Amino acid sequence: MTALQAPAATDVAVHWWQLAGNSTDSADLAVLGPSERERLDRIQHPSQAAEFAGSRAGARRILAELLGVTPDAVALGRLPCPGCGAADHGPPAVLHPRSPFRISLSHASGRCLLAVAQVPVGVDIEAERPLNIDELARVALTAGEHRQLLGLPAGAARDRAFLRCWTRKEAALKALGTGIATDLSRIETHPERRGPVTVTAGPPGTARDWSVHDVTVPGPWVATAAVPYGVSARVTVSQRPGVH
């Protein structure tokens, strides 16, 4: 495994790792903060608890390597929400030690992603699986997106296109820092185009245009990263096999 290097001013470094097993690793538990342990205690399903702990612990280990500290010295928290100013649901942040990094974390079916950049960034990953597109379209797709998907063969191709729409929307909203607190059926993601594409998302008074990049990770997953529009980002993807 090569040593980590900090991303340049407009680069996005996406790190991925696969969790092993469906039970929480004691080594992961040892590096979690108090609030993360409290949240972990509320997760009832063992595999979901293991995924939460493994994603947070893995992110701490990667950030610790970048920052030259031990994983338990990395304090994670949130920035104020850009929409309402609340301190409890803004974008995730490294609170200690001081750093120039913005981060975003996502996980699905044991595959974890951490995006690190020096600009606002959002990342999302979803596992490919059969979906009820017609039911989901009402709340998650624009009319144009729905037409594009209906033009594809039913099955895996259409499901993957839906996940491209979904991850593009979620990555943009995570980069904004509000999360899914808006009408997804009003956010157009141009699923017929390869990334990067421009996605407009966010309430008035916030940054609204995002450059959304397709992220290639091995296996049956769809992933996306978003940065502010106008940033000429170079997105790199690397596996961190020793992060678990």
Side-chain angles (χ1 to χ4, degrees):
M1 184 171 61
T2 58
L4 291 183
Q5 294 184 341
T10 60
D11 288 351
V12 177
V14 177
H15 307 279
W16 70 267
W17 62 100
Q18 185 70 27
L19 300 184
N22 293 318
S23 59
T24 302
D25 190 299
S26 59
D28 290 341
L29 187 62
V31 300
L32 298 184
S35 63
E36 291 167 325
R37 287 171 177 261
E38 291 176 4
R39 182 172 170 184
L40 182 64
D41 289 341
R42 295 194 296 270
I43 301 175
Q44 300 298 317
H45 198 285
S47 64
Q48 293 175 355
E51 189 166 301
F52 171 78
S55 64
R56 293 302 183 98
R60 285 175 177 274
R61 293 184 181 108
I62 292 170
L63 292 165
E65 187 174 345
L66 285 170
L67 296 169
V69 298
T70 59
D72 58 356
V74 177
L76 300 178
R78 293 189 178 276
L79 299 175
C81 172
C84 68
D88 61 346
H89 60 265
V94 180
L95 302 183
H96 180 82
R98 291 185 61 183
S99 82
F101 301 139
R102 299 290 295 269
I103 62 171
S104 184
L105 184 63
S106 184
H107 53 85
S109 301
R111 178 63 55 90
C112 305
L113 292 186
L114 172 70
V116 183
Q118 295 190 46
V119 295
V121 63
V123 71
D124 192 54
I125 186 170
E126 291 287 341
E128 295 182 20
R129 58 198 186 275
L131 299 167
N132 186 333
I133 301 298
D134 289 333
E135 180 177 330
L136 292 167
R138 292 194 295 270
V139 295
L141 298 179
T142 67
E145 290 170 337
H146 197 191
R147 285 194 298 271
Q148 286 290 332
L149 267 60
L150 291 178
L152 297 172
R158 190 178 294 176
D159 295 338
R160 185 174 179 85
F162 174 85
L163 293 175
R164 184 180 304 118
C165 295
W166 179 270
T167 59
R168 286 178 173 182
K169 293 169 196 270
E170 184 149 356
L173 291 169
K174 289 170 76 171
L176 172 64
T178 61
I180 301 178
T182 189
D183 183 356
L184 296 181
S185 68
R186 299 176 64 88
I187 300 175
E188 175 62 52
T189 63
H190 314 289
E192 74 282 5
R193 302 183 198 168
R194 294 175 62 106
V197 298
T198 301
V199 172
T200 299
T206 64
R208 302 197 68 198
D209 290 334
W210 303 92
S211 182
V212 178
H213 298 251
D214 301 329
V215 174
T216 301
V217 294
W221 282 274
V222 176
T224 303
V227 294
Y229 176 76
V231 173
S232 299
R234 181 175 67 101
V235 179
T236 62
V237 183
S238 61
Q239 182 183 8
R240 308 306 299 173
V243 81
H244 184 75

